[in-house]
Amino acid sequence: MRRLPISLNFRPRLLVTAGLLALALGACDRTRDAAGAEQEALVYTHSTPQAELFVEFDPLVTGAKSTFAAHFTRLSDYKPVTAATVDVILSGGGAPTERFRVAAPRAPGIFAPTVMPRATGRRTLSIVIAAPGLQSRHDLGEVVVHADAAAALQAGPAPGATEGEIGFLKEQQWTTDFAIEAVQPRELRESVIAPATIRASADGAAEIVATAAGTLRASGRFPALGDRVARGQTLAMLVPRLGTGTDVASLQAEFATARSQATLATADAERMQRLFAQQAVSHRRLQEARSAQRVAQAQLRAAQQRVSQLGGGSGGIALKAPVGGTLALVPVANGAAVEEGDVLFHIVDRRELWLQAHVSEADAARLEQPDGAAFELPGLDAPVEIRAGDNGRLIGVGSMIDPESRSVPVIFALSKPDPRIALNQNVQARVFTGRARTALSVPVGAVIDDSGQRVVYVMRGGESFSRVPVRLGLRDGNRFEVLEGLKAGDRVVSRGAMQVRLAAATPEAMGHGHAH
């Protein structure tokens, strides 16, 4: 199992002073020389895939107690471990293995095992935590167990130790939305930025318009905005205005006339058939009678179909939904007077929406094979991403530059869209070009705009951070490519960067002291 690098710092006892230790742990032995001088604390930060350990303790002296302040953070949610058994293990150096255990924390996330080594010399230090759903071993490398306090003081600080200039305590990290991420190479997709519009699919929307001037009548409950309707469902009745030639009386009269003419034409055709059989009329006369019969029957069917559209007590023309979906627009009400051509209902099938992006001609050549798009909307926690073959598909890429907008249309279909996405909404979209490259990256939330300069905060130790300016490259969803400023293995604040910035700007606002 790959481990993240260990950060080892020696620093003055600013965080493990006697007063603070006495407050949380009770009195413990201090590492002093004969003149009473204090030795600096040892500080380690170490992570495994499951947990992060930040520990402080006095240099180890044979036969002397050193109380560890071991902070354990569960990396699944970056919260303190509240129940566990912690073992401090000293091994190697030609001496028997020594184990020191504590079965419960002194405070949430803070464990205080007391170590009193029996063997002097170079030992290997490990700290193991066992909790429900968590088993994590932290091998911290070699430490020296000194023969006495004078030897520990004489050893001095470790060479090359580094420390961040911003302090942000574990207790503060645990009570905020906070997380750390190790910078590693990732595959990032190239993209271009383009204005875009959310619209209905080509066959997923329909408008019902008035075919004649008249009055709307409900055929039941009058439809309302947001109602689901089925294909072929009658939404309302349009009662044409009298005097237009399409009123109810005229339609009924046309039907009666057509029925009478069809009856007469059928009788005449039958009579001609009998006379032709007796060679009393010519074959041409028989054909003329049959043709007249067919015309009369067609006129009857048309009149019958028009009359069949009448319904309700007052009659009318049924307005039926040509597609199933949701009513996105209902600008009329029951009893409203409408004119020919007025839009009465707008139906949208929201099972699939289209994102139509307009890629500028300067970026059009970069569209190798677009495989997705992403856009942000106010009110949504994360960008909406369309992934071809997953929750969407590519409809098409234009092959001609629009002469007015100087752009190329790129259309993606989004399946099962969030109901909060509104039609005809203008958004800023990222169209993924189909190309990708491997590079270092950080979450978008890790980057702070500090007076026009992009910066991130890097953890140098468990409670110390540095402000690092970065130069960014492409953006893939919620990640930025990092071109300069970071290296693989750097641990950046992925959530809570603004809190660290506040701690740097106003340390007094973030609190003082350490609850060990």
Side-chain angles (χ1 to χ4, degrees), residues 24 54 69 100 171 220 267 379 381:
F54 169 64
F100 307 90
E171 291 85 341
D381 297 333

Side-chain angles (χ1 to χ4, degrees), residues 406-419:
R406 308 306 302 173
S407 65
V408 172
V410 180
I411 302 177
F412 281 93
L414 173 63
S415 303
K416 299 179 180 179
D418 190 301

Side-chain angles (χ1 to χ4, degrees), residues 247-492:
D247 56 273
V248 176
S250 298
L251 291 176
Q252 291 175 338
E254 288 178 5
F255 175 66
T257 300
R259 182 169 55 186
S260 176
Q261 290 176 347
T263 301
L264 291 175
T266 299
D268 186 56
E270 291 175 350
R271 187 171 63 84
M272 288 298 106
Q273 179 65 44
R274 291 194 299 271
L275 292 176
F276 178 75
Q278 298 171 4
Q279 297 184 350
V281 295
S282 66
H283 183 265
R284 179 179 177 180
R285 182 70 184 86
L286 173 62
Q287 291 296 101
E288 290 174 349
R290 287 177 174 175
S291 177
Q293 180 189 21
R294 288 192 293 270
V295 171
Q297 288 176 341
Q299 292 174 341
L300 175 61
R301 287 192 297 270
Q304 188 175 21
Q305 185 175 6
R306 287 194 293 271
V307 170
S308 69
Q309 293 178 337
L310 301 178
S314 60
I317 301 172
L319 302 174
K320 298 180 181 293
V323 297
T326 302
L327 287 175
L329 181 65
V330 183
V332 292
N334 188 22
V338 298
E339 298 296 330
E340 183 178 354
D342 285 353
V343 176
L344 308 179
F345 304 100
H346 190 115
I347 305 171
V348 175
D349 184 355
R350 288 188 57 92
R351 291 176 298 178
E352 182 178 87
L353 297 182
W354 283 9
L355 175 75
Q356 181 168 338
H358 304 278
V359 178
S360 70
E361 61 180 330
D363 293 325
R366 298 172 58 189
L367 298 174
E368 185 172 296
Q369 182 58 47
D371 58 0
F375 59 93
E376 295 184 1
L377 286 178
L380 298 186
D381 297 333
V384 178
E385 185 170 341
I386 305 173
R387 298 175 296 277
D390 181 9
N391 67 337
R393 57 195 173 93
L394 175 66
I395 300 299
V397 180
S399 57
M400 183 176 67
I401 302 293
D402 183 275
E404 293 185 2
S405 65
R406 308 306 302 173
S407 65
V408 172
V410 180
I411 302 177
F412 281 93
L414 173 63
S415 303
K416 299 179 180 179
D418 190 301
R420 293 173 290 181
I421 299 176
L423 288 173
N424 300 326
Q425 191 163 14
N426 293 324
V427 298
Q428 192 79 347
R430 288 186 173 274
V431 179
F432 298 109
T433 65
R435 299 175 181 174
R437 62 174 179 262
T438 300
L440 298 180
S441 69
V442 294
V444 170
V447 181
I448 298 292
D449 189 336
D450 190 356
S451 301
Q453 185 178 48
R454 301 288 188 90
V455 301
V456 299
Y457 292 92
V458 177
M459 176 183 277
R460 303 303 186 187
E463 296 180 332
S464 58
F465 299 82
S466 293
R467 174 186 179 277
V468 178
V470 291
R471 188 166 70 89
L472 304 177
L474 66 87
R475 177 173 175 173
D476 181 354
N478 65 344
R479 302 194 70 84
F480 278 127
E481 177 188 19
V482 178
L483 301 177
E484 292 179 2
L486 297 176
K487 62 182 182 301
D490 283 344
R491 305 185 70 212
V492 301

Side-chain angles (χ1 to χ4, degrees), residues 73-110:
T73 304
R74 195 184 299 267
L75 291 185
S76 59
D77 57 5
Y78 218 85
K79 296 302 179 185
V81 178
T82 55
T85 298
V86 172
D87 289 296
V88 178
I89 303 170
L90 293 173
S91 61
T97 297
E98 301 177 61
R99 183 183 297 267
F100 307 90
R101 170 172 292 185
V102 64
R106 285 291 181 89
I110 304 176

Side-chain angles (χ1 to χ4, degrees), residues 203-227:
D203 57 355
E207 287 186 343
I208 299 176
V209 300
T211 56
T215 304
L216 282 182
R217 299 294 182 193
S219 61
R221 174 182 171 274
F222 196 80
L225 186 70
D227 283 355

